[in-house]
PDB file of all heavy atoms in Angstrom:
ATOM      1  N   ASP A 185      12.493  -0.160  21.676  1.00 97.00           N
ATOM      2  CA  ASP A 185      13.096  -1.327  21.037  1.00 97.00           C
ATOM      3  C   ASP A 185      13.280  -1.119  19.537  1.00 97.00           C
ATOM      4  O   ASP A 185      14.178  -1.689  18.925  1.00 97.00           O
ATOM      5  CB  ASP A 185      12.223  -2.565  21.271  1.00 97.00           C
ATOM      6  CG  ASP A 185      12.111  -2.905  22.744  1.00 97.00           C
ATOM      7  OD1 ASP A 185      13.138  -3.283  23.338  1.00 97.00           O
ATOM      8  OD2 ASP A 185      11.006  -2.760  23.311  1.00 97.00           O
ATOM      9  N   HIS A 186      12.389  -0.310  18.949  1.00 97.00           N
ATOM     10  CA  HIS A 186      12.456  -0.015  17.524  1.00 97.00           C
ATOM     11  C   HIS A 186      12.318   1.487  17.318  1.00 97.00           C
ATOM     12  O   HIS A 186      11.555   2.152  18.036  1.00 97.00           O
ATOM     13  CB  HIS A 186      11.334  -0.724  16.754  1.00 97.00           C
ATOM     14  CG  HIS A 186      11.382  -2.215  16.854  1.00 97.00           C
ATOM     15  ND1 HIS A 186      12.025  -3.002  15.925  1.00 97.00           N
ATOM     16  CD2 HIS A 186      10.871  -3.062  17.791  1.00 97.00           C
ATOM     17  CE1 HIS A 186      11.906  -4.274  16.277  1.00 97.00           C
ATOM     18  NE2 HIS A 186      11.203  -4.337  17.407  1.00 97.00           N
ATOM     19  N   ILE A 187      13.017   2.007  16.322  1.00 97.00           N
ATOM     20  CA  ILE A 187      12.888   3.416  15.947  1.00 97.00           C
ATOM     21  C   ILE A 187      12.526   3.485  14.467  1.00 97.00           C
ATOM     22  O   ILE A 187      13.168   2.852  13.624  1.00 97.00           O
ATOM     23  CB  ILE A 187      14.193   4.194  16.196  1.00 97.00           C
ATOM     24  CG1 ILE A 187      14.445   4.349  17.701  1.00 97.00           C
ATOM     25  CG2 ILE A 187      14.138   5.577  15.528  1.00 97.00           C
ATOM     26  CD1 ILE A 187      15.766   5.033  18.044  1.00 97.00           C
ATOM     27  N   VAL A 188      11.482   4.242  14.170  1.00 97.00           N
ATOM     28  CA  VAL A 188      11.088   4.522  12.790  1.00 97.00           C
ATOM     29  C   VAL A 188      11.455   5.969  12.491  1.00 97.00           C
ATOM     30  O   VAL A 188      11.059   6.883  13.224  1.00 97.00           O
ATOM     31  CB  VAL A 188       9.570   4.304  12.582  1.00 97.00           C
ATOM     32  CG1 VAL A 188       9.157   4.721  11.169  1.00 97.00           C
ATOM     33  CG2 VAL A 188       9.197   2.842  12.838  1.00 97.00           C
ATOM     34  N   LEU A 189      12.196   6.185  11.427  1.00 96.00           N
ATOM     35  CA  LEU A 189      12.619   7.530  11.034  1.00 96.00           C
ATOM     36  C   LEU A 189      11.704   8.068   9.953  1.00 96.00           C
ATOM     37  O   LEU A 189      11.439   7.400   8.952  1.00 96.00           O
ATOM     38  CB  LEU A 189      14.054   7.499  10.506  1.00 96.00           C
ATOM     39  CG  LEU A 189      15.149   7.069  11.489  1.00 96.00           C
ATOM     40  CD1 LEU A 189      16.481   6.952  10.765  1.00 96.00           C
ATOM     41  CD2 LEU A 189      15.259   8.061  12.634  1.00 96.00           C
ATOM     42  N   THR A 190      11.213   9.288  10.146  1.00 96.00           N
ATOM     43  CA  THR A 190      10.381   9.929   9.139  1.00 96.00           C
ATOM     44  C   THR A 190      10.731  11.408   9.089  1.00 96.00           C
ATOM     45  O   THR A 190      11.657  11.869   9.756  1.00 96.00           O
ATOM     46  CB  THR A 190       8.883   9.706   9.439  1.00 96.00           C
ATOM     47  OG1 THR A 190       8.109  10.120   8.316  1.00 96.00           O
ATOM     48  CG2 THR A 190       8.434  10.459  10.674  1.00 96.00           C
ATOM     49  N   SER A 191      10.006  12.163   8.282  1.00 94.00           N
ATOM     50  CA  SER A 191      10.287  13.582   8.114  1.00 94.00           C
ATOM     51  C   SER A 191       9.604  14.408   9.196  1.00 94.00           C
ATOM     52  O   SER A 191       8.601  13.996   9.773  1.00 94.00           O
ATOM     53  CB  SER A 191       9.801  14.060   6.738  1.00 94.00           C
ATOM     54  OG  SER A 191      10.464  13.384   5.704  1.00 94.00           O
ATOM     55  N   TYR A 192      10.149  15.594   9.410  1.00 94.00           N
ATOM     56  CA  TYR A 192       9.567  16.547  10.354  1.00 94.00           C
ATOM     57  C   TYR A 192       9.581  17.932   9.708  1.00 94.00           C
ATOM     58  O   TYR A 192      10.631  18.415   9.296  1.00 94.00           O
ATOM     59  CB  TYR A 192      10.360  16.548  11.656  1.00 94.00           C
ATOM     60  CG  TYR A 192       9.985  17.640  12.641  1.00 94.00           C
ATOM     61  CD1 TYR A 192       8.674  17.787  13.066  1.00 94.00           C
ATOM     62  CD2 TYR A 192      10.941  18.518  13.138  1.00 94.00           C
ATOM     63  CE1 TYR A 192       8.326  18.784  13.970  1.00 94.00           C
ATOM     64  CE2 TYR A 192      10.608  19.504  14.055  1.00 94.00           C
ATOM     65  CZ  TYR A 192       9.295  19.630  14.467  1.00 94.00           C
ATOM     66  OH  TYR A 192       8.955  20.632  15.354  1.00 94.00           O
ATOM     67  N   LYS A 193       8.408  18.516   9.546  1.00 92.00           N
ATOM     68  CA  LYS A 193       8.262  19.846   8.947  1.00 92.00           C
ATOM     69  C   LYS A 193       8.987  19.944   7.607  1.00 92.00           C
ATOM     70  O   LYS A 193       9.716  20.895   7.330  1.00 92.00           O
ATOM     71  CB  LYS A 193       8.733  20.933   9.912  1.00 92.00           C
ATOM     72  CG  LYS A 193       7.848  21.077  11.148  1.00 92.00           C
ATOM     73  CD  LYS A 193       8.180  22.297  11.967  1.00 92.00           C
ATOM     74  CE  LYS A 193       7.188  22.454  13.130  1.00 92.00           C
ATOM     75  NZ  LYS A 193       7.463  23.651  13.957  1.00 92.00           N
ATOM     76  N   HIS A 194       8.778  18.947   6.778  1.00 92.00           N
ATOM     77  CA  HIS A 194       9.342  18.926   5.431  1.00 92.00           C
ATOM     78  C   HIS A 194       8.627  19.988   4.602  1.00 92.00           C
ATOM     79  O   HIS A 194       7.407  20.103   4.628  1.00 92.00           O
ATOM     80  CB  HIS A 194       9.151  17.542   4.813  1.00 92.00           C
ATOM     81  CG  HIS A 194      10.061  17.231   3.680  1.00 92.00           C
ATOM     82  ND1 HIS A 194      10.173  18.022   2.562  1.00 92.00           N
ATOM     83  CD2 HIS A 194      10.932  16.206   3.482  1.00 92.00           C
ATOM     84  CE1 HIS A 194      11.046  17.507   1.725  1.00 92.00           C
ATOM     85  NE2 HIS A 194      11.538  16.396   2.270  1.00 92.00           N
ATOM     86  N   ASP A 195       9.386  20.770   3.835  1.00 90.00           N
ATOM     87  CA  ASP A 195       8.780  21.819   3.020  1.00 90.00           C
ATOM     88  C   ASP A 195       8.504  21.380   1.587  1.00 90.00           C
ATOM     89  O   ASP A 195       8.063  22.175   0.755  1.00 90.00           O
ATOM     90  CB  ASP A 195       9.654  23.081   3.025  1.00 90.00           C
ATOM     91  CG  ASP A 195      11.042  22.835   2.438  1.00 90.00           C
ATOM     92  OD1 ASP A 195      11.281  21.738   1.870  1.00 90.00           O
ATOM     93  OD2 ASP A 195      11.898  23.741   2.550  1.00 90.00           O
ATOM     94  N   GLY A 196       8.764  20.112   1.292  1.00 89.00           N
ATOM     95  CA  GLY A 196       8.473  19.596  -0.039  1.00 89.00           C
ATOM     96  C   GLY A 196       9.575  19.787  -1.047  1.00 89.00           C
ATOM     97  O   GLY A 196       9.429  19.395  -2.209  1.00 89.00           O
ATOM     98  N   SER A 197      10.696  20.359  -0.645  1.00 91.00           N
ATOM     99  CA  SER A 197      11.776  20.656  -1.588  1.00 91.00           C
ATOM    100  C   SER A 197      12.805  19.538  -1.644  1.00 91.00           C
ATOM    101  O   SER A 197      12.990  18.774  -0.687  1.00 91.00           O
ATOM    102  CB  SER A 197      12.469  21.965  -1.200  1.00 91.00           C
ATOM    103  OG  SER A 197      13.190  21.799   0.014  1.00 91.00           O
ATOM    104  N   ALA A 198      13.523  19.481  -2.786  1.00 92.00           N
ATOM    105  CA  ALA A 198      14.620  18.526  -2.922  1.00 92.00           C
ATOM    106  C   ALA A 198      15.754  18.878  -1.963  1.00 92.00           C
ATOM    107  O   ALA A 198      16.461  17.991  -1.475  1.00 92.00           O
ATOM    108  CB  ALA A 198      15.125  18.527  -4.366  1.00 92.00           C
ATOM    109  N   ALA A 199      15.912  20.179  -1.688  1.00 94.00           N
ATOM    110  CA  ALA A 199      16.951  20.606  -0.741  1.00 94.00           C
ATOM    111  C   ALA A 199      16.685  20.042   0.649  1.00 94.00           C
ATOM    112  O   ALA A 199      17.622  19.644   1.359  1.00 94.00           O
ATOM    113  CB  ALA A 199      17.013  22.134  -0.695  1.00 94.00           C
TER     114      ALA A 199
END
Side-chain angles (χ1 to χ4, degrees):
D185 298 294
H186 299 267
I187 290 176
V188 175
L189 297 174
T190 191
S191 299
Y192 171 55
K193 293 190 175 181
H194 200 305
D195 61 9
S197 69

